[in-house]
Amino acid sequence: MLYQIPSFLLDVIAGLLGGACLLRLYMQMHRVPFGNPLGRFVFALTDWIVLPLRRIIPPAGRWDIASLVAAWLIIMLKYLLLMLLAGGVRPVALPLLSLFGLMQLAVSGLTALLIVYAVLSWVPGASPVLHDLVQRLAEPLVRPIRRVVPLIGGVDLSPLVAIVLLQIVGMVLGNVLLGIYGIGR
């Protein structure tokens, strides 16, 4: 219990902050405007770490590398604190562990996005601003799948297929994380 509670709190905090940094990266990559409430929230939550990093890490085309590095640093801090709580730091494993943890966070965020996208497609009268924002973020994920998976009875199953594929990737990343975390034990 002395490890579970701090671990849970670190997961929540790192998930929120790191996820916001990844969402900032994803929204900028797809040129989604930040004038909506979600965009303003993402900026408010991430400016403290992204703006100083942006002074030394320039963007690469549409990729805001500073947001990506910020998310990676947040995840690395999470794993460092978890290692300290567990009683031993393995500095060799920390950067690699953080990279796979960041990928797992991205998979979780995209899965949540697709779930919201699917739910909003069934809710008539949902906020048009929210619906447009979620659609602009989810379409790049489901568009390639729609080319392969046809409508079945007028129902678009591409979000479901994308979620299943993301979950498979998440399982693989989880096993890799367990293997990396076990290095040096």
Side-chain angles (χ1 to χ4, degrees), residues 95-174:
L96 189 60
L97 182 67
S98 303
L99 178 65
F100 281 97
L102 181 65
M103 288 190 284
Q104 196 171 43
L105 178 62
V107 166
S108 297
L110 292 173
T111 301
L113 172 69
L114 288 170
I115 290 170
V116 170
Y117 175 70
V119 168
L120 282 177
S121 72
W122 290 88
V123 177
S127 166
V129 173
L130 179 64
H131 189 272
D132 179 56
L133 174 67
V134 171
Q135 184 174 9
R136 288 181 73 170
L137 293 172
E139 278 298 316
L141 299 170
V142 295
R143 193 176 305 121
I145 297 171
R146 278 197 191 117
R147 295 182 192 132
V148 179
V149 178
L151 291 177
I152 298 176
V155 176
D156 181 14
L157 295 178
S158 59
L160 176 62
V161 172
I163 289 170
V164 168
L165 293 173
L166 284 170
Q167 289 305 296
I168 291 169
V169 170
M171 287 178 207
V172 170
L173 289 171

Side-chain angles (χ1 to χ4, degrees), residues 5-126:
I5 293 171
S7 174
F8 169 73
L9 293 174
L10 284 171
D11 279 342
V12 170
I13 294 166
L16 180 65
L17 294 175
C21 289
L22 289 176
L23 183 58
R24 182 179 183 141
L25 166 74
Y26 192 67
M27 289 176 74
Q28 288 178 350
M29 191 171 77
H30 291 289
R31 297 193 173 140
V32 175
F34 281 88
N36 55 63
L38 179 63
R40 289 192 300 271
F41 174 73
V42 166
F43 270 150
L45 207 55
T46 60
D47 274 351
W48 66 274
I49 189 169
V50 172
L51 293 182
L53 284 172
R54 195 173 284 151
R55 290 186 197 123
I56 54 175
I57 304 171
R62 292 187 341 194
W63 288 82
D64 180 19
I65 305 300
S67 293
L68 183 62
V69 170
W72 181 68
L73 290 172
I74 289 167
I75 300 303
M76 189 180 309
L77 179 62
K78 173 188 118 172
Y79 283 120
L80 176 64
L81 292 173
L82 288 174
M83 286 179 181
L84 289 171
L85 281 171
V89 177
R90 291 177 291 289
V92 173
L94 190 59
L96 189 60
L97 182 67
S98 303
L99 178 65
F100 281 97
L102 181 65
M103 288 190 284
Q104 196 171 43
L105 178 62
V107 166
S108 297
L110 292 173
T111 301
L113 172 69
L114 288 170
I115 290 170
V116 170
Y117 175 70
V119 168
L120 282 177
S121 72
W122 290 88
V123 177

